[in-house]
Each structure stands twice: as C-alpha cells, then as structure tokens.
Amino acid sequence: MKCLLVLLPFICLASASENLVDCANAANLTTFTSFVNSAGLTDVLREQGPFTLIVPTNEAFAKLPPATVASLQKDSSALANVLQYHVVKGSIYSWDMVSGEILSSLNGHYIRVYSQGSSLYFNQAKVTKVDLQCSNGVIYLVDEVLNVPEGTIVDVIKNPDYNISGFMEFLEAAKLTDVFNRTSSQRYTMFVPTNAAIASLDADYITKLKSSYIYARHIVDYHVHPGTIHEKSLDHAGTLSTMYRGHSISVTVDSNNNPVLNHAATLQVTDIEAENGVVHIISHVLIPSTLNPGVVSGSVLT
C-alpha cells in the first residue's frame, strides 16, 4: 500500500487489485472484516460493487457496549443490517462529498454528510481517513459505528425503551404528528424531554399548554432545530436556532464539558438516528419566555 504524502497527505491509495475486503484487512480493520464474515457479506463486498464503504475502526467497535456486541454476534440478520448501513452504492470520493448531502445506504436508510471546519462526518461519526481506493470501491474510516435509523422521529418518541412518549401529547395537540412522522428531504433535530421532566412541571400548567393549539405548537417548535445536529457538532458556547421563529436555545457547558441547554437541560441520550433527523433526550422541558407559567396563566396568547 502506498500513501501520496506530498500532494495528497490525507489520501492513501490501495493496490487496484485489492477488493474492499482485502483493503480493509490490509488497513488492519479486523473487527469489521470479522463481522462482515459473520454476517455473510464477504462475497458481496469482494465480488460486487462499486461501493463506498464507511468502516468503523477497531477502536470504534470497542466503544460499543459489550451487550450490544454480544447481541449482534448472536443475530446475523441484525448484524447484516448494521453493516449494510455502512455501505453506499457507487464510489464517492471526498472531493465529491457535499456538506448537507444525504446518501442512501445499501439497506435503504439515509446517511447525512456534513463538515465542521476541516473535519468530515457521516452522521455522528468523524472521518479519520478518506479515499482508500480498492478495485471495487472506496473506503472511509470513521471513529464510531453508525446508528441505524429507528424509524421516524415519531417512532423514536413512541419507543417505550426511551421513556419520552409523553411529548407525543404536545405533538398531537399541535397537530404536528404527520410532520415528524414522514420521510422527506427535510431533516430535524428534536430535543425531547423525558416523561419525568414533563411530570415535574405543574399539572395545571401542562394542561393549559396542551389545551391550546398555539401553546402546544410553540412548545414543540422550541424543541426543534431545522436541520441535523449531532452531539459532536453542537456548539458548546453559543445559541441554537429553533423552529419557533425568533426564539433560540442557549448552549453552555458544565464542569465536565458536557452541553447544557438554557442553563438547565442536559443531554441524557444523544444521537438517536431517525429517518427524518436525529433525536436527543434531555433532562428538562425547554420553555420559551413567551410561555412561562405567568404568561400562560394570564392567557396572553390566544
């Protein structure tokens, strides 16, 4: 394997005779190739293509919880689904990647491409090496395993494992269920408070918010950023625009350098992939100034 260190310091060229699996083995991506073999995908990646392969490093796979790895190793279909999400038809090189571009994976899900500074990302995963050229495609190395989309944003909210289903009542009151339950070119980032966070608010206040289409709409819009923002690209010292026009969310950091929204809400679970965006679970309900309890009780908005 030769690296072009003078003109293209970030690009390594593999021998044109090496297929994607051989290239991955030569690059010491042993966990990936082992999983590919277990999932029965070795012949596909050796003989078919061309493909663009997004390959997590061995270190990236090591970040997965042991229970998740054990579960995938016992279920070859689930493992194949995860791996196919890292495969895109055709050879797409870094110079053709456009920030904001949406790619379609081999198993029909969406992968978002974006850049931050000089770094390239596929969803939440940072690219650590680009354009490993192989006989039947090209490989990118990434620092995390991509999360396969779990349905639409509405599907994620309804998933009982996340304990955030209470926010559905706001979506329903705001008549926004269909908006966040469809897949289109529009992508969203939704910060969804836990059921416990909603329950911690005054019951009468919550009832009034849900009883008004306008109140409910403003609450939902204030929890949504138009576009996709994963945790790594969340500005830790700035503001975040929302769909509630003119009302932004402040982002600061705590003592552990974790992001905090509006000086109150911390991220409990991050980067839950959906077909139409990404969901972050937060510890507090975000309340815009126009909907503080005094305003709602006084029925200023009608």
Side-chain angles (χ1 to χ4, degrees):
M1 184 176 292
K2 298 180 180 179
C3 292
L4 301 185
L5 300 176
V6 179
L7 297 179
L8 300 174
F10 198 46
I11 298 176
C12 291
L13 302 180
S15 169
S17 64
E18 293 181 335
N19 58 56
L20 287 164
V21 175
D22 291 339
C23 284
N25 278 321
N28 197 37
L29 302 170
T30 54
T31 303
F32 178 80
T33 55
S34 173
F35 284 165
V36 164
N37 186 59
S38 297
L41 296 175
T42 299
D43 289 344
V44 172
L45 296 182
R46 274 186 171 150
E47 301 170 4
Q48 298 182 29
F51 297 121
T52 296
L53 213 56
I54 303 168
V55 182
T57 62
N58 292 345
E59 293 77 14
F61 278 109
K63 294 179 183 179
L64 294 176
T68 298
V69 175
S71 177
L72 289 174
Q73 289 175 328
K74 293 178 182 178
D75 188 340
S76 60
S77 295
L79 180 59
N81 188 49
V82 171
L83 295 174
Q84 287 171 352
Y85 187 53
H86 292 73
V87 183
V88 176
K89 289 183 179 179
S91 296
I92 307 173
Y93 293 93
S94 59
W95 51 83
D96 290 324
M97 290 288 182
V98 178
S99 186
E101 182 178 8
I102 297 173
L103 307 176
S104 182
S105 70
L106 193 60
N107 54 353
H109 298 295
Y110 294 118
I111 302 169
R112 285 164 290 281
V113 179
Y114 62 91
S115 58
Q116 183 181 24
S118 60
S119 298
L120 181 68
Y121 290 84
F122 293 109
N123 290 351
Q124 88 284 6
K126 182 178 180 180
V127 176
T128 59
K129 187 170 290 187
V130 303
D131 301 333
L132 290 176
Q133 296 185 26
C134 311
S135 61
N136 61 332
V138 59
I139 292 176
Y140 291 78
L141 306 190
V142 291
D143 69 346
E144 289 192 32
V145 178
L146 301 183
N147 301 318
V148 180
E150 301 179 26
T152 65
I153 288 175
V154 166
D155 291 329
V156 172
I157 295 173
K158 288 182 175 180
N159 186 335
D161 292 339
Y162 291 125
N163 293 312
I164 55 175
S165 57
F167 199 65
M168 273 304 303
E169 295 183 20
F170 288 103
L171 266 68
E172 292 164 354
K175 298 179 172 57
L176 290 173
T177 302
D178 289 344
V179 171
F180 297 108
N181 198 37
R182 63 175 175 241
T183 301
S184 67
S185 59
Q186 180 62 55
R187 298 288 181 267
Y188 306 97
T189 299
M190 184 177 287
F191 299 93
V192 183
T194 62
N195 292 343
I198 295 173
S200 70
L201 298 177
D202 180 78
D204 289 340
Y205 174 59
I206 290 295
T207 298
K208 288 179 179 178
L209 290 177
K210 294 177 182 177
S211 65
S212 165
Y213 162 78
I214 294 177
Y215 289 163
R217 178 65 183 261
H218 289 341
I219 280 290
V220 173
D221 284 351
Y222 192 55
H223 285 78
V224 179
H225 168 78
T228 303
I229 298 182
H230 291 85
E231 183 185 10
K232 286 182 180 178
S233 59
L234 186 63
D235 187 350
H236 289 190
T239 57
L240 187 65
S241 63
T242 73
M243 290 183 62
Y244 186 11
R245 187 174 300 177
H247 296 269
S248 59
I249 300 169
S250 71
V251 184
T252 55
V253 295
D254 61 18
S255 58
N256 295 316
N257 203 39
N258 296 315
V260 180
L261 308 182
N262 285 355
H263 304 282
T266 56
L267 304 183
Q268 306 293 291
V269 181
T270 63
D271 297 336
I272 303 172
E273 286 298 325
E275 299 290 1
N276 52 344
V278 62
V279 172
H280 304 287
I281 299 176
I282 57 176
S283 63
H284 289 68
V285 180
L286 303 175
I287 305 294
S289 58
T290 54
L291 290 183
N292 66 59
V295 170
V296 172
S297 296
S299 299
V300 173
L301 295 177
T302 58

